[in-house]
Amino acid sequence: MPKPEIRKLAAIVSIDVVGYSGLMQRDEAGTLTRLGMYFDGIVSRLVSTHNGRVVKSMGDGLLIEFPTAVDAVACALEVQTVMAEREADNAGKQKITFRIGVNLGDIVVIGDDIFGDGVNQASRLQEIAKPGELCVSGSVLDQVKEKIEHSFVDIGHRKLKNIVQPVRAYRSTLTASGEEAKPIGWPFLTAAKSEPVTAGGCLCGAIRYQVWSLPVAVGFCHCRHCQLALGSPVNAWAIFEKPNVTFEGEEPGLYASSKLSERAFCKNCGTSIYTDISDIGYYSIRVGTLDNPADFPPELHYGVESQIPWVDIHDDLPRIRTEEDLRMSSRWVSVGEPSSGPTPSSSETRVANRQKRKKSDQT
């Protein structure tokens, strides 16, 4: 007889061992012994304390079910804290570290096992979690905020593997050592006491920058100016407030690509660093120049009127035409340009201008 199906709402926790294959290659017996102690002892005890149930072990991970998101997150945080303490003396490649994903969703129970999108999302969130931390869905955060004294960082809508709709994700502020990261402030207030949110620089390293705040927005730009300036079909950008970005190293080269903007680049290696749109107070930094670009997923597509037809990015992010951005289109009009922004001159005109400059330099 087929086992009956039960459908219900549950909080799902997916735990994975970071670098499991390498741990097994270096010390198979020792790794299995330590993992058995952690899974069967510490994790199982904490799961029971928080009213959960270990559904199954997959060798390098666990799948766990909880009745509430609060129980699931509280347990996951305790697991990471205890693991950091137990593994503090194990350095480098011998250290056992977990990454954890937590989701709240509809699941199907068949016998003792569970299935469904709620389970799949927990597994995919675990894959994008940092070692020693946990990554939770927006549905989980809605349930635990103001109930658990722990802060989470919004990492935007993430397109997870084999999940149709992008999922809003948040990561814990636990570090690998189990300590909570200190909040970030402006550099002139907290630079001596905290670490930047992110950093980046050019290909050759002549220009480096640090960013001391989360981005105002992250997205793709498909405008023709960006295509030409980057030699790429699309520009991935993250907008940061100027006071929260500090530079070191060599001064960048600047090119006035329009009446409203300058593009900065490294004069040694040619890397495009940012666009400075005058009078707005933001740098539009190239996501590819960040040291950790994966941490800044896009939130929208801009300038889609110039999108190249064969550039087909499968997501459900908002798609905005330049003229639909009233603030920017009005600024273009104020300097005598169309509301859709200026159109770069044709290739023939650009070649002719190059020849004129060459003759001028010779004379």
Side-chain angles (χ1 to χ4, degrees), residues 260-318:
L260 292 178
S261 59
E262 284 187 325
R263 295 175 183 266
F265 60 93
C266 174
K267 291 180 284 188
N268 293 309
C269 63
T271 300
S272 178
I273 305 294
Y274 64 81
T275 299
D276 180 2
I277 302 176
S278 59
D279 303 327
I280 288 186
Y282 300 102
Y283 289 121
S284 177
I285 290 180
R286 311 289 175 252
V287 169
T289 67
L290 295 169
D291 292 342
N292 52 338
D295 289 346
F296 296 88
E299 301 166 347
L300 57 90
H301 292 263
Y302 192 83
V304 295
E305 69 277 0
S306 300
Q307 182 172 341
I308 298 173
W310 48 257
V311 175
D312 188 10
I313 301 175
H314 297 280
D315 60 39
D316 295 319
L317 300 179

Side-chain angles (χ1 to χ4, degrees), residues 156 168 211 213-220 236-241 282-287 290 296-302 320 325:
R168 193 59 175 264
V211 181
S213 68
L214 293 173
V216 176
V218 185
F220 294 115
W237 47 261
I239 294 177
F240 298 95
E241 294 173 301
Y282 300 102
Y283 289 121
S284 177
I285 290 180
R286 311 289 175 252
V287 169
L290 295 169
F296 296 88
E299 301 166 347
L300 57 90
H301 292 263
Y302 192 83
I320 302 170
D325 180 357

Side-chain angles (χ1 to χ4, degrees), residues 34-56:
R34 290 160 65 201
L35 280 179
M37 178 182 65
Y38 292 146
F39 283 171
D40 298 334
I42 295 172
V43 178
S44 293
R45 174 177 53 81
L46 290 174
V47 168
S48 178
T49 300
H50 291 280
N51 308 306
R53 175 177 75 94
V54 176
V55 177
K56 58 185 174 183

Side-chain angles (χ1 to χ4, degrees), residues 176-242:
S177 64
E179 299 176 351
E180 288 197 34
K182 296 180 180 179
I184 303 300
W186 285 25
F188 52 83
L189 293 177
T190 61
K193 298 181 180 179
S194 64
E195 296 294 325
V197 172
T198 188
C202 66
L203 178 63
C204 71
I207 298 174
R208 291 290 299 172
Y209 60 81
Q210 294 181 322
V211 181
W212 302 83
S213 68
L214 293 173
V216 176
V218 185
F220 294 115
C221 183
H222 297 269
C223 81
R224 188 68 184 125
H225 277 276
C226 284
Q227 291 171 1
L228 284 168
L230 275 66
S232 172
V234 65
N235 168 28
W237 47 261
I239 294 177
F240 298 95
E241 294 173 301
K242 285 185 178 179

Side-chain angles (χ1 to χ4, degrees), residues 346-362:
S346 65
S347 59
E348 292 81 3
T349 301
R350 295 198 299 273
V351 170
N353 290 338
R354 175 178 176 274
Q355 292 173 343
K356 288 180 182 179
R357 287 193 296 270
K358 185 176 180 181
K359 290 181 181 180
S360 177
D361 291 342
Q362 290 174 346

